[in-house]
Amino acid sequence: MTLAPILLFVYNRPQHVRNSVQSLLSNDLAKDSELYIFSDAAKDEAAKPLVDEVRTFIHSISGFKQIHFVEREENWGLARNIIDGVTRLVNEYGRVIVLEDDLITAPYFLRFMNDALETYKDEEKVGHIQACDFTKDPSLPDTFLIKFTGSWGWATWKRAWKHFNPNGQELLDEMLRRKLNRQFDFNGKYGFTRMLRRQIEGKNNSWAIRWNASLFLADILSLNVGKSLIQNEGFDGSGTNCGSGNLYDSNLWMKPLPVVKISPIIENKEARNAFMRYYARINSFFAKAIRRIKRTLKGDFGR
């Protein structure tokens, strides 16, 4: 089995990067894997000291088969960085594993991702592998197929990435023309269509919503886990896209997670219902009101 390169995207959070790299090194396949670190440049003078600290640290890393550095000379932003990095390396290697700097990986994360990439390499109907579960729903199987792509600890192939359309307007137009927006939004339980509209309007710069919509419209499934191999530490207010709160907490699964090819290759309707229940619960009026009260009591008036 050819091991996929690991793409790690970093910016100005040195402690998060340290934690992420340390957890990656706990994986037995780390020593045999190539690591590509994409370091974005500071967007202003205030960010420069932390960006410099991150860059000093990444050059001290060892323990991987080989480490490659891509240090941007100007601020690209996460979306442009990921789109460029994934496109370039998936075309070179045929498959990639993608991480951001606030993700903690379980010890068998790399084993699972590489096994899944190999197992489903020729399955055109599967285009994405997602290693994070935040629903904590006990009804979910260890692995399942679903029309939804998560962006925390994921992998894909060249054959699937060719479906990525960076043009949000084209994606939205097709979604509405085919009247798929309600299904895309888990029957209205989460505003993915609204997120896509906001990307078009320049109110967010999410690559992930465009990747999600691209595969959804192509009727391509994602292999997801029911036991999380990823923990996101970015909900501490330090990131540009993640606010505070524990809506997406996950418990790391510290044991091997076997990859058994699912047949037939169709969406798991029970899993989709589990996501609908989860999004309905966290997006109810009562749940939102309680979160707002808690944030106000903590003095967090900006989110």
Side-chain angles (χ1 to χ4, degrees), residues 25-221:
L25 287 169
S26 72
N27 283 255
D28 65 332
L29 292 184
K31 66 183 183 302
D32 301 313
S33 300
E34 292 195 45
L35 175 65
Y36 284 79
I37 304 179
F38 291 79
S39 170
D40 205 2
K43 64 180 178 181
D44 52 38
E45 283 300 313
K48 194 172 186 303
L50 289 176
V51 169
D52 290 343
E53 185 178 344
V54 166
R55 290 186 172 182
T56 297
F57 168 71
I58 62 177
H59 283 280
S60 73
I61 297 171
S62 62
F64 296 89
K65 179 180 179 180
Q66 194 170 356
I67 304 176
H68 311 265
F69 304 98
V70 180
E71 297 181 347
R72 305 300 189 190
E73 296 182 0
E74 60 183 33
N75 184 261
W76 280 34
L78 182 61
R80 183 182 173 193
N81 245 319
I82 286 186
I83 293 169
D84 175 80
V86 171
T87 300
R88 180 158 65 87
L89 291 174
V90 82
N91 284 332
E92 179 178 347
Y93 288 90
R95 57 182 73 180
V96 291
I97 297 170
V98 186
L99 293 165
E100 296 173 32
D101 60 7
D102 52 9
L103 301 179
I104 301 300
T105 56
Y108 295 95
F109 166 78
L110 290 179
R111 177 72 61 184
F112 173 82
M113 297 301 270
N114 280 287
D115 285 349
L117 282 167
E118 184 68 17
T119 300
Y120 289 91
K121 65 181 179 181
D122 297 319
E123 184 49 68
E124 294 284 342
K125 295 294 291 181
V126 178
H128 178 92
I129 301 164
Q130 165 66 21
C132 183
D133 171 62
F134 47 78
T135 68
K136 300 179 184 176
D137 193 311
S139 72
L140 290 175
D142 287 355
T143 61
F144 56 92
L145 298 171
I146 191 170
K147 283 184 68 174
F148 162 75
T149 63
S151 61
W152 302 332
W154 60 282
T156 192
W157 303 263
K158 178 181 178 180
R159 60 164 175 77
W161 188 249
K162 69 182 180 183
H163 293 284
F164 176 67
N165 183 355
N167 190 316
Q169 187 65 62
E170 290 180 3
L171 293 166
L172 178 62
D173 290 347
E174 184 178 352
M175 191 79 66
L176 297 179
R177 179 182 63 81
R178 294 167 57 184
K179 298 180 180 179
L180 294 173
N181 49 301
R182 184 168 176 79
Q183 183 186 358
F184 186 54
D185 292 348
F186 283 94
N187 282 5
K189 300 300 187 293
Y190 193 85
F192 287 112
T193 303
R194 179 175 181 269
M195 190 183 301
L196 184 58
R197 281 198 173 96
R198 290 176 66 83
Q199 186 277 322
I200 296 165
E201 295 165 357
K203 295 178 181 177
N204 71 53
N205 191 25
S206 173
W207 64 270
I209 189 61
R210 288 174 280 172
W211 176 229
N212 190 10
S214 295
L215 289 193
F216 183 89
L217 289 168
D219 199 26
I220 293 175
L221 301 169

